[in-house]
Amino acid sequence: MDAADLRSSSDVFLRIIEESGFAGGWHWVFATGEQRWSPGFFRLLGLDPVRNAASYDLLLDLVHPEDRSRLATPGEVVQGHVIPTALLRLIRPNGELRILSVMSELRVSPEGRPLALSGVALDVTDRERLRQMQAAEQRRRQALYLSSYATTYSMGVDLLHQFPVEVARVHGPSLQEINLDPFVMIVPGEREAFRDRAWDLHDRRLHFQGTAHERLANGEVWHFRIVGVPLWDEAGRYLGRAGVKYPIHESGAPVHATGTRGDSRLRHALEQAVRGHHLRAARGLLDWSMMRLAEASGLSLSTVRRLEVNAEAQGARSLHKAIAALRAGGIRFITLDDGTLAVSKS
C-alpha cells in the first residue's frame, strides 16, 4: 500500500490509520500562505504541534539530504511544478529514520493558476525494511549457488518451482525451463525414475529426499541431494513445498551446504513431517511421559494426546512447540535418503 491508495480509502479507515500513527496530511494555500498539518502528520514527522508551526520548509529540512530532490522546492511548488509521488527517508528530530510514501496534489484555477497544494503521507518503514531484507536474502541465495551450488527452493500449488536465476547460469537451461521442470537438470539416465518418484510422493503429500547426478553448463557432472517437504497452514491446508538441493561427495558427505540450513521456511516444513509415532518414539528415548512433554512445551495434556494420534492439523503451531521442547531435551529428527524420518537422541 502506498500514499496514493489512501485517496480511495474510506474516512473511517483513514481516521484509524492516522490515529495509529501511520498516516497524515497537509494543506498549503498559496494566496494567504496558510499551511495546515493534520495531527497524524505531526506524529509522522516526530514533531510537537504546540511547539512547531506547519511549514513546507520544515518538512524539507527533515527529509534525508539524498532524498530532497524527490520533493519539489517551495519555489517550484508555487510555480505549479509538483512531483506527484515520492518514496523518501525522513529523519525525525530524535534521530529516528522513517520511510514515507508521499503523494502531492496541486489545485489550480480554471485558468491554470496554482492555488494550493495538498498532500498525504504513509509510513512504509516496515514494508521497505522487509523488502530490503528479502532483497538481501535473494542476493545471498544467488551468491551461495554460484559459489557452492547449494540453494533452497519452493513450489506453489500451481506446481511452478521458484529457483534463483543463478541455477540457470550454472546448469544451462533457462530459468523458465527449470521452474517448469527442474528435473531437466538431472542426467537423462536417472531423470525419469527420479521424476516419477518425486511426483508420486508429492501427490501423496509426503516429504521427499533423494540423490541424483546433474550436468552443469561447463560439462561437469555433480552429485546432488534434493529434499522437498510439503507445507501446511495452521488449518491443515496444503500450501506447496519447500526444499533444498546441495552437492555431495560420493561418500554422501555434503560439499558446501553452508547457508541452506538457515531457511526458516524449509525448517518449518521439515518439522511438519513429524507425526504422532515420531513424538512417541522421541518421548521414549527421553523417558518422558505425555505430561512431561506438555510441561516442557507449554501445551495442555489434551493437546499432546491429539498430536500423538495425529488429530491436530499438520500445520498446527502446537506441533512445532512440542518439537522445540524435544529438541531442547536432546532429540534430533533426521531425514534419510529413502525419505524415512528417523528419531535419535544426542
Side-chain angles (χ1 to χ4, degrees), residues 34-260:
E34 178 191 9
Q35 296 194 42
R36 297 193 308 272
W37 288 356
S38 71
F41 195 63
F42 277 101
R43 284 193 291 269
L44 278 184
L45 273 53
L47 297 173
D48 183 347
V50 176
R51 298 182 179 182
N52 298 274
S55 165
Y56 190 83
D57 289 298
L58 177 55
L59 168 61
L60 279 178
D61 286 342
L62 294 175
V63 173
H64 192 288
E66 294 177 3
D67 294 350
R68 285 175 188 163
S69 61
R70 299 178 186 177
L71 283 182
T73 66
E76 291 171 334
V77 170
V78 296
Q79 292 297 319
H81 304 296
V82 172
I83 301 175
T85 59
L87 185 68
L88 47 85
R89 291 166 292 175
L90 181 132
I91 304 173
R92 290 174 171 172
N94 64 2
E96 183 182 8
L97 179 71
R98 306 302 295 177
I99 302 174
L100 302 184
S101 172
V102 177
M103 188 185 78
S104 304
E105 184 177 17
L106 187 69
R107 297 184 182 180
V108 299
S109 69
E111 298 79 24
R113 182 168 56 87
L115 298 177
L117 177 71
S118 294
V120 292
L122 180 69
D123 190 327
V124 294
T125 306
D126 292 340
R127 184 197 73 186
E128 292 303 310
R129 286 176 179 167
L130 176 60
R131 183 179 294 171
Q132 291 167 7
M133 287 188 290
Q134 289 172 332
E137 171 63 12
Q138 181 67 11
R139 290 192 298 270
R140 183 194 68 82
R141 291 178 64 204
Q142 292 169 353
L144 180 65
Y145 204 77
L146 288 177
S147 62
S148 68
Y149 302 157
T151 187
T152 55
Y153 67 89
S154 63
M155 184 186 73
V157 293
D158 57 3
L159 304 186
L160 288 177
H161 292 74
Q162 296 293 329
F163 283 93
V165 67
E166 277 64 26
V167 175
R169 290 173 57 184
V170 168
H171 289 272
S174 69
L175 184 62
Q176 182 180 15
E177 288 179 273
I178 291 173
N179 285 339
L180 284 171
D181 181 16
F183 309 104
V184 72
M185 295 182 284
I186 299 175
V187 296
E190 301 177 13
R191 186 180 303 156
E192 185 175 355
F194 193 94
R195 179 193 282 126
D196 289 346
R197 178 169 172 260
W199 282 121
D200 174 62
L201 292 172
H202 166 270
D203 293 342
R204 291 191 284 145
R205 300 293 190 259
L206 299 175
H207 68 285
F208 168 87
Q209 179 165 304
T211 63
H213 291 86
E214 297 184 358
R215 188 174 301 279
L216 310 187
N218 62 9
E220 296 178 2
V221 174
W222 283 56
H223 198 193
F224 284 84
R225 176 171 283 113
I226 299 100
V227 179
V229 189
L231 277 169
W232 312 85
D233 67 12
E234 293 180 34
R237 291 183 292 262
Y238 178 67
L239 300 176
R241 296 176 85 81
V244 61
K245 69 185 293 268
Y246 56 89
I248 55 174
H249 289 294
E250 293 305 318
S251 65
V255 179
H256 288 299
T258 303
T260 59

Side-chain angles (χ1 to χ4, degrees), residues 258-294:
T258 303
T260 59
R261 294 183 182 180
D263 190 285
S264 59
R265 182 179 170 91
L266 176 62
R267 181 187 177 99
H268 195 76
L270 286 167
E271 289 185 350
Q272 290 179 344
V274 174
R275 306 303 289 150
H277 60 281
H278 298 120
L279 297 178
R280 292 194 296 273
R283 281 200 302 104
L285 288 173
L286 294 175
D287 195 24
W288 282 11
S289 66
M290 281 194 290
M291 179 59 76
R292 177 72 181 86
L293 176 56

Side-chain angles (χ1 to χ4, degrees), residues 296-316:
S297 60
L299 300 172
S300 67
L301 180 59
S302 61
T303 298
V304 171
R305 286 198 181 101
R306 289 196 300 272
L307 286 172
E308 294 201 358
V309 296
N310 300 320
E312 289 279 283
Q314 201 153 346

